[in-house]
Amino acid sequence: MARSLLERLAALEASVGRQRTTPAGEPGPASAPGHEFHPAVPGAGPASDASGPSREPADEPPPGALGMDGGTGGPRDDRPQPLDSRGRGLALLGFRPLAEGDSVWHRVLRYDLLTVHGRRRFADLLSTDLSAAARALKVEAVDPERLRFYDTETTGLGQGAGNVPFLHALARVEGDELAVHQYFLADHAGEPDLLSALLTEHLTGDALVVTFNGKSFDWPLLQSRLSMWRMPRPSCGHADLIHPARRLWRRHLGRVALAEVEAGVLGIRRTDDLPGREAPARYFAWLEDGVADGMEPVFEHNAADVCSLAVLLAVLADLLAGREPAATAEAWVALARWHDDWEAYDLAERCYERAAASPDADGRALWLKSLFHKRRGEWEKALALWARIAAAEPLAVPPLVELAKYAEHRAGDLDAAARWTQEAQARAAAQAQACAADPAVARRWHQVLDHLAHRLARIQRRRALGG
Amino acid sequence: MNLAMLLDEWRRTPEVMRHIAHWHVEPARIARHRDVPAWLHPDLRRALAARGIRQLYAHQAEALEAIRAGHSTMVVTPTASGKTLCYNLPVIDAILKDEAARALYLFPTKALSQDQVAELHELCGHLPSPVQSFTYDGDTPLHARQRIREAGHIVVTNPDMLHAAILPHHTKWLRLFENLRYIVIDEAHIYRGVFGSHVANVLRRLRRICEHYGSRPAFILCSATIANPEELGHLLTGEAITVVDRSGAPSGERHTVLYNPPLVQPELGLRRSSITEARRFGTRLVREGISTIAFVKTRTQVELLTTYWKADVPERLRHRVFGYRGGYLPNERREIERGLREGRILGVVSTNALELGVDIGSLEAAITVGYPGTVASFRQQSGRAGRRQGVSLALFIANASAIDQYIVQHPEHILQGAPEAARLYPENLLILTDHLKCAAYELPFSPDERFGVETTEELLSYLAQHRVLHQGRDGRFFWMADALPSHSVSLRSAAQDNVVIIDQTEARPRVIGETDRFSALTTLHEEAIYLHQSRPHQVERLDLENGKAYVRQVDVDYYTDAELAVRLQVLDVLDERGTGAARHQTGEVMVNAVPTLFKKIKFDTHENLGWGRIHLPEAELHTVGYWCRWDRRGIPWDNERWETALIGLAHVLRHASALHCMCALSDLHWAAEVRDPLDGQPTLYLYDAYPGGVGLADRVFRDVDEVLSIAREMVKGCRCEAGCPACIGPGRGDEDAKALVLALVEMCLADPGPAQAAAAMKGGV
């Protein structure tokens, strides 16, 4: 008795150790997937706490307006749930179908600009000076009206052609509100419509897209989707806040992800937040059963992300514009180096001062400041710093080398140069001994020692010649 | 003494000539030239002139015209006949005429692509405007990849890379796929069997993506001589193929010598070991300073023969003898290839790994130890010796097997006979489904889209039911999982990963090779001797779960040989015919195999030194089988006679089938039941050694009369009286064995009715 094609395939797959057809790497026998993802969130509230924004759909959709499944046709009969109940779930969350068809749903969450989010109001974006932030982000002038805070939720990781962003959030200033536009891909077929709405409504030529880690993830993925559907690429600018965030807070936060920045810098506490990595499973469950409740935490998470981006930009702008003091020596150093790069030396010096004066200042802050002075030819200040570091850190070699260089080449004091070099040699030798267990590090110290020996020999030669 | 003198010496030595079954001399052949076509871009014509090429060989010109006419074309000419120009010229011409044009080159291995790119660069170096060609493989640095994607006119890669890195990220390769004019597939004959079936599906995915981006590239294929270039090309690419197969290249005088080692025990058909003979001939050739390559079948034999040669050549030549095989690490292999090209290495023993067009220059003598399974493969191997001029030698040393003895008695089979057809089976359900998933990841499927088979939609629905795909409202199927499907599909092996071999002799363990899991059961079980560069290593631990085998160098004088115990069960009969005494059937079978014990076999004498048990889990294989059932009521034999007859026939039928289907002997396994559990009848099974089958057993079923005829010739033609290892295998000394086997074969062949009708019908298909 011949088995059907599918029975054969099933048996074959089982025989090579694939319990189910999902890709390898997901062990475990065939269970009933899908439903295990279902959260028990009766009437899940907004993701953010009371101090955050509250969801205010612009207009409650009348439940009666959901009969849009009439004439689009297609093989619907085998859907697990009738379309209107799928649609109703989304409608209750404030979504409306985009144009005709019901593959793409759109909602706008509107927040008064005076809404407090973390330790800021959205309105701060309008009042702060964004020009320094623009320089730090390497974009042209930032006009608050043109900002598009952007984030996506995707079906997987990486940039492969099968990784689909199923939820896009764009926050922008509209009048006296921050409007969070969310586009939900309820059915893959609607992706071109979704992308075209993004392009025409939001990602226009003069827009500036602001993301967190978007340079390596969301933005190229969006380009990839546009290529896939043979659509034009947007010509708007793009600023990724992760780069300045890393410069300012890497040591302070340890790991620079949006959640850490929110908690450690922006004063935003999320409650009941869905971890981003669970979003794909929720979405797959939605495709199966069409129950919108399961998606609600994903929608909230996604909206909360872009709201945080708005606050993050405001905080960055204020730090860079000098309207808010930095909290750590690390942040002051970061600011100083920006100003240094931009040749705003007065500002840079002041930031270095603040870094050095900061209670958590370490040798690095002083050291960078000393190099700043050296570049500027401010030798007195530099010398004082080197002496200070050398005294404070009994094993530090570089400040002694700088002192030796100065004595040899600037002051012409060969005796002092020899003294500094010998002191540096003693310290380097001690370091080399201390690191003997780690050959790679020890080797570096021996290189340093070679350089120092070379320097000392030269100094002594010159001393002999010069008399 | 040069080769011509040595050959003269052999001719004058009766002891040698006595065992030479056939000596064929092919006279030198002069070239047939054609003018470089005037339509080629003038820059390209100048570049050719700068390289000293003023005329093309006839087949090159012919290929150029076919490609220019827009045909997908396959060039099938001997080694070193200048196949590379057949694709480089049209490709460069197209790029010179349209800067946007792109081409994709596929080579089966990384090593090959490196050689070809070097040649391409040299030609392009003579062009005034830049034609950018880049290799894109696992070694390509990340920072270079972006540039290759954007600016590479010619992207050189391998099927694995195309499968895992390029196709799943096609949106990054927009420029390539929009402007792809040519897809070049070199060494196309390699793409057969499992690997070919995978690659055909990868190419289906590639064509889908090109179509999506609006390009319709033509294929240019190159292949060693095979019987069915048109069919192979079509199965691989899905296109109609124009074949160019009349070589215009010159060749030197070549001697093909078929040597049959002397019988040492005539009644058992035992002959002197072919390895022993290869040891003698090879040592002599190397000692005379004649560059020599020997091809053996297994990795173990590579190590064995290398050890022998090293031992027998004079001290001064010892460092010029090497082994070469898969499982050596790339650097080691590159070094050996370079040594061969530069003439530093005089003798090399290889598996078929060097059969491919890896550039090792041209050697003077090639020894083939044991029939490599296919005429094409034999010709590839002997083609390693002698290129455009000078005397060359192809020496075939037969072993005692049925196939080899058939060959020495029918030399025309490898000398004039059409080479076999290269078979692939892209419809293997498992392979097809794997690639269907990858394809769905890359682009959604319309329900009416066809991916090779008519049942595409059925399969898509199956995957949707298993929540791998999601059917959208417009009916299209979309990928729905957060993983990359191509990561779990390897084109090279069965459905599983490889086992890496870790040498723990030194304080710092190092990886010295790898092998597939199924082979690991018999070659890397605990206590197995694993040979690497002729040094024995003993396996201390096999960690199948993590794919690691830990070995340590030992000093022993034996190697190991493991046995598998097999249980077989028919799952499904797909087709049957024959109504009389013998019924032929094909269908799906489940095979359970477990390695049982291993023997320790002494080097040199090959005597059995003892044995040990293997404790490894059972492996299960779902595959396609062919089987024949006899009605025992018609033949009044006792069980013992049946057993002798079945095992004997199984042995010869497997060899005949491998010969007919152009596959390795190890691609087909057999089992025999005197009382089959199903209906108590004597039954003989042959089945494909790959999950889901690769069309071999199916082919045996369809061509069963032809295969049985070859089997009958093998038995009848053998000089033994009662059956010997050469024809019906190592029997149990039954004096009637040969007669019993022949009786069984005759019974099947005499069976009138559908079998012959079907055979007749096959001619029309």
Side-chain angles (χ1 to χ4, degrees), chain B residues 673-736:
Chain B
E673 300 279 358
V674 174
R675 288 181 183 278
D676 194 72
L678 200 64
D679 56 6
Q681 298 292 4
T683 308
L684 168 61
Y685 294 92
L686 286 178
Y687 59 89
D688 293 9
Y690 180 78
V694 286
L696 301 173
D698 179 58
R699 185 156 195 92
V700 173
F701 172 76
R702 281 188 286 133
D703 299 348
V704 71
D705 284 358
E706 277 171 70
V707 178
L708 283 166
S709 303
I710 297 175
R712 178 171 59 185
E713 286 311 301
M714 284 177 164
V715 181
K716 266 191 174 166
C718 185
R719 289 181 196 155
C720 68
E721 281 177 16
C724 69
C727 55
I728 60 168
R732 298 172 310 166
D734 189 326
E735 283 176 18
D736 295 336

Side-chain angles (χ1 to χ4, degrees), chain B residues 489-503:
Chain B
V489 178
S490 158
L491 306 187
R492 306 275 174 170
S493 65
Q496 293 141 329
D497 304 324
N498 281 352
V499 175
V500 296
I501 299 150
I502 300 163
D503 181 6

